[in-house]
Amino acid sequence: MKKLLVLLLSFLSLTICQAQELVCSLSPPGPHNYCAGNQSINFFADCSGPGADNLVYTWQVQPPGGSYGLVGDVDSYNSQLSYSFTQPGTYLIHCLIEINGENGNPDIYKKELMETVTVGPSPAIPSVTIDKTTICSGDDVSLSISNPLSGVS
C-alpha cells in the first residue's frame, strides 16, 4: 500500500505559479489643468500583461454640469481619446477597459480608469500698438502692449 501511494504521488505534480495581472493606467497622469479652446488633448490607456492585445476600450466624458456621454470612435474601441475642452469647468474622463471574451462578450476582465480635468477660461489676447503709421529705415519706433490680465506686463 505504501508503494502504491508513493507511486501515485509521483504521477501527481502540482505546479504553483504566481498569476500575472493585467496592469492599466491613463496617461498623461493628472492633475490636469488646461485652458478652454479648440486644442485637442490626447489621453492614452496603457495596458500590459496577459490579454493586453485583446482589449476593448470605451471612453466617456462628463462635461461641467452635464452627464457622461460616449466619445471617440466607439466602433474601433481605441486605446486613445482625443478631446477638446471647449468650456471652463471640471470634466471627468472615464475609460472602461475589458478583455474581449467568448463571442465578443467582454466579461473576463473589467477595469475602470478615471481622471479629473480642470479647465479655466482662455486668457484675453493683449493688444499691441505702435506710435507711427509710417516707418522708414532708421526711424525710432515705440511699441506698447496692453495686457488685460492684471499683474502681467
Side-chain angles (χ1 to χ4, degrees):
M1 183 71 165
K2 232 181 190 182
K3 257 187 171 180
L4 182 58
L5 183 60
V6 170
L7 223 110
L8 183 59
L9 289 175
S10 67
F11 285 110
L12 298 175
S13 65
L14 178 62
T15 305
I16 299 174
C17 61
Q18 188 173 1
Q20 246 186 335
E21 184 180 336
L22 186 64
V23 177
C24 298
S25 63
L26 282 182
S27 62
H32 302 283
N33 295 295
Y34 300 109
C35 291
N38 294 326
Q39 177 186 4
S40 290
I41 307 299
N42 295 320
F43 292 90
F44 301 91
D46 182 34
C47 296
S48 61
D53 57 346
N54 198 27
L55 296 176
V56 174
Y57 302 87
T58 304
W59 292 93
Q60 294 180 312
V61 174
Q62 180 182 7
S67 56
Y68 276 110
L70 292 173
V71 291
D73 186 2
V74 176
D75 292 334
S76 69
Y77 297 103
N78 200 327
S79 64
Q80 176 182 343
L81 169 69
S82 185
Y83 192 80
S84 294
F85 301 97
T86 57
Q87 62 184 9
T90 301
Y91 292 75
L92 297 175
I93 307 294
H94 178 254
C95 182
L96 175 65
I97 303 167
E98 299 171 293
I99 291 180
N100 200 6
E102 290 182 30
N103 300 321
N105 294 328
D107 57 357
I108 298 173
Y109 173 84
K110 185 186 260 187
K111 179 144 183 123
E112 296 183 67
L113 303 174
M114 295 187 75
E115 284 287 345
T116 301
V117 178
T118 303
V119 177
S122 296
I125 299 172
S127 62
V128 178
T129 55
I130 188 167
D131 66 344
K132 297 181 181 180
T133 55
T134 304
I135 304 170
C136 296
S137 178
D139 285 353
D140 289 333
V141 177
S142 179
L143 298 175
S144 63
I145 298 175
S146 170
N147 194 335
L149 295 176
S150 63
V152 179
S153 57

